[in-house]
């Protein structure tokens, strides 16, 4: 028997993965949907999720409402068929320059009506159909984004990792990480490893300086950790680094 | 009357009464500028002093075809250029054949040259002809007359030649693509990404950096704040971490002179809020010897054959610094940065030989050399005063306060050994012409860098943009932890 009250839940994991797959930065996502994803997630009862917002999510992410929630929804409105190709070129040029633009902003700047903008968007979408790019259009914004699958996740992960690891170490980070090294060397002679604030060690773990962050049983705000195998290898204090996982987990 | 000779300067007249060909041959055989002996065979039937100056420069191995372009074609500047080269290259003996055919003015120039450069001058008279005007010149200087050839022939040490040294050096090949990670990941990423053979090549260069850093730090007088006694450290932590250690030391001295140890401990505990969570920041101290650090870093990469070699050495040096409790924070963009080892051209003995063979003006040669090992913009090179070249020419500094530099902090460059004689010659030349230490070292020649480089057949580096400082000036160093190495470099 179908219950009278259905608890709707939104698949945030799917939303995040599709957004990452399409290369949508948080800012762009917020521009397109109208609300920050983290604010949505913080709304435990999900009372702030409107039908318009669901439609935007569906349209932007290219997923059905069934995939977003366990309810049917309206498909995104169909766009008119054709437009002048110069309008489409101009629209693409603007979107590649600015990422995403507000519909009203565009209409004001170009002195177009909504029909002309919709036609330009349709033509532009067709023009770039064979490329990794796609257009997403909501009632308020329009953006040029990557098509799902255009950028393999492993390639993106490698690039993201490269960008992250190129950030120079800060003195206070390496200072704390180095303070763990003597204990690592003399560990067998120490019964009680040095404790540090858990948040601090977590940040160092994110930077690839420590691993095996273990909250203390008697105080979760304190933790122990070991210097990262890569750091020990850099100092030539070990023969091998971590074999494959940069975060050592 | 000529000025008194410089220390070591002597004048000897060798009488070859029989005009013996064996004597001439023996003297010509003694010619070896690299061993400190130059033998001049004056051009026959030409008696002008400028012609003799050209003969001396040619005997030194300098080209004489462009002296007018270099503005040293007249006797005065040409003899000063010759004297400067002789001073810089350690020439001790100058032997002039057929001296009886020279004019009195030429003898006076040679004697002045010997005085300026501290040379042992040997004037060889072949035959018994005597000219009163030459005797008059000799009458005005202290001299010695001999017929003994052995007495004037210099000792001939046999140093290893540059060619032999170059032949012994193994050929250098480019490294494989290296990781862009900072020190904590660099070696591990290379290990993970590269085939074992390629990793071994990169790691060998990394090891050079580690060893160089450990050697330098082990012999450096600065010591880690962690090596001091606990009470001393406690008071020291009162001072802001951004203060250089010498200022902290001065403050400590003052406090120690005013308060007892017990009072100092109480002050430190109060200011440090003892009992609250320890802050890492309070344990950081800036490395004070910035000039020394510049020199070490630029020396480390001076002979680096490629950008990848330079980065691998620097990552290794960072690891060496960490082992001594120091964080050497290099700029994030080393892949695209400018400065020594990145966009400079290695300055070798072969490069120096090309410059010596291609240009006679000491300042022109020095300007090319400086451009090669610094990659600085000519406008920056032109501002360097003579006083910023170290006495032994091992370090060249630029004026403090340049774009991207901390005000008051000069930028130091290690001068590769083959380039030093060129810079020494430039300085000697300017001083011989009456310059003062505050005058500019290279300004007269930076305008002709490209032309001179083309003549010499040497490449000029891509200039470091004035808006982007050289990488080593953006490098900072902090004491961050107790050393993992003992002071002698051994593990703790």
């Amino acid at each position: 028997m179908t219950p009278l009250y259905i608890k709707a839940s939104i698949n945030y994991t799917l939303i995040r993965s599709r957004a990452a797959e399409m290369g949508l930065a948080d800012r762009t996502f917020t521009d397109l949907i109208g609300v920050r994803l983290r604010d949505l997630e913080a709304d435990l009862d999900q009372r702030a999720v409107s039908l318009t917002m669901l439609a935007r999510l569906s349209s932007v992410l290219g997923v059905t409402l069934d995939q977003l929630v366990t309810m049917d929804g309206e498909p995104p409105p169909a766009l008119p068929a054709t437009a002048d190709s110069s309008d489409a070129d101009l629209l693409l040029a603007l979107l590649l320059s600015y990422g995403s633009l507000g519909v009203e902003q565009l209409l004001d700047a170009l002195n177009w009506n909504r029909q002309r903008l919709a036609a330009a968007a349709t033509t532009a979408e067709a023009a770039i159909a064979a490329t990794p790019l796609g257009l997403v259009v909501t009632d308020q914004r329009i953006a040029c984004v990557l098509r799902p699958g255009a950028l393999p996740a492993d390639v993106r992960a490698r690039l993201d990792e490269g960008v992250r690891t190129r950030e120079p170490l800060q003195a206070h980070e390496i200072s704390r990480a180095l303070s763990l090294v003597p204990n690592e060397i003399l560990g067998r002679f120490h019964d009680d490893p040095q404790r540090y604030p858990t948040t601090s060690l977590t940040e160092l773990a994110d930077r690839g300086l420590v691993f095996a962050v273990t909250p203390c049983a008697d105080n979760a705000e304190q933790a122990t950790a070991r210097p990262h195998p890569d750091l020990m290898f850099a100092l030539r204090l070990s023969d091998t680094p971590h074999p494959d996982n940069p975060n050592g987990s | 009357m000529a000025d008194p000779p410089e220390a070591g300067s002597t004048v000897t007249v060798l009488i070859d009464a029989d005009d013996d060909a064996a004597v001439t041959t023996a003297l010509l055989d003694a010619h070896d500028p690299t061993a400190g002996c130059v033998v001049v065979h004056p051009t026959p039937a030409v008696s002008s002093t400028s012609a003799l100056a050209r003969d001396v420069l040619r005997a030194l191995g300098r080209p004489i075809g462009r002296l007018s372009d270099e503005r040293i074609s007249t006797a005065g500047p040409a003899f000063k250029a010759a004297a400067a080269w002789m001073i810089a290259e350690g020439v001790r003996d100058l032997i002039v054949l057929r001296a009886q055919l020279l004019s009195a003015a030429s003898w006076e120039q040679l004697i002045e040259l010997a005085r300026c450069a501290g040379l042992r001058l040997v004037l060889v008279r072949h035959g018994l002809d005597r000219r009163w005007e030459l005797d008059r010149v000799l009458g005005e200087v202290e001299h010695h007359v001999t017929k003994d050839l052995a007495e004037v022939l210099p000792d001939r040490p046999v140093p290893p030649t540059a060619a032999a040294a170059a032949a012994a050096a193994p050929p250098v090949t480019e490294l494989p693509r290296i990781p862009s990670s900072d020190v904590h990941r660099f070696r591990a990423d290379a290990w993970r990404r590269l085939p074992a053979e390629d990793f071994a090549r990169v790691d060998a260069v990394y090891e050079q950096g580690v060893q160089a850093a450990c050697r330098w730090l082990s012999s450096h007088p600065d010591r880690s704040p962690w090596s001091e006694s606990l009470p001393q450290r406690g008071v020291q932590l009162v001072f802001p971490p951004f203060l250089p250690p010498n200022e902290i030391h001065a403050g400590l001295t003052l406090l120690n002179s005013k308060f007892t140890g017990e009072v100092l401990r109480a002050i430190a505990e109060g200011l440090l809020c003892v009992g609250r969570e320890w802050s890492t920041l309070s344990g950081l101290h800036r490395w004070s010897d910035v000039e020394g650090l510049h020199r070490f870093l630029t020396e480390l990469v001076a002979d680096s054959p490629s950008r990848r070699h330079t980065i691998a050495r620097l990552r290794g040096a960072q690891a060496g610094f960490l082992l001594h409790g120091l964080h050497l924070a290099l700029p994030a963009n080393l892949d695209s940065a400018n400065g020594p080892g990145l966009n400079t051209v290695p300055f070798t003995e072969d490069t120096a030989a090309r410059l010596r063979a291609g240009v006679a003006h000491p300042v022109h040669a020095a300007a090319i050399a400086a451009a090669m090992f610094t990659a600085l913009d000519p406008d920056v090179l032109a501002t360097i005063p003579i006083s910023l070249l170290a006495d032994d020419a091992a370090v060249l500094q630029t004026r403090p306060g340049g774009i991207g530099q901390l005000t008051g902090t000069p930028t130091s460059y290690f001068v590769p050994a083959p380039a030093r004689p060129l810079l020494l010659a430039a300085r000697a030349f300017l001083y011989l012409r009456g310059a003062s230490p505050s005058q500019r070292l290279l300004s007269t020649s930076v305008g002709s860098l490209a032309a001179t480089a083309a003549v010499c057949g040497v490449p000029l580096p891509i200039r470091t943009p004035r808006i982007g400082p050289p990488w080593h000036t953006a490098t900072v160093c902090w004491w961050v932890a107790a050393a993992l190495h003992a002071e002698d470099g051994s593990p703790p």
Side-chain angles (χ1 to χ4, degrees), chain A residues 6 98 175:
Chain A
I6 300 174
Y98 293 93
S175 175

Side-chain angles (χ1 to χ4, degrees), chain A residues 3 5 21 35 40 56-57 74 82 104 142 161 172 185-186 207 213 215 220 230:
Chain A
Y5 173 73
E21 195 177 14
V35 64
L40 277 181
R56 285 181 194 164
L57 284 168
E74 294 290 326
T82 58
E104 292 298 329
I142 182 167
E161 181 67 11
H172 69 276
I185 298 171
L186 305 171
R207 297 285 275 137
V213 177
D230 288 0

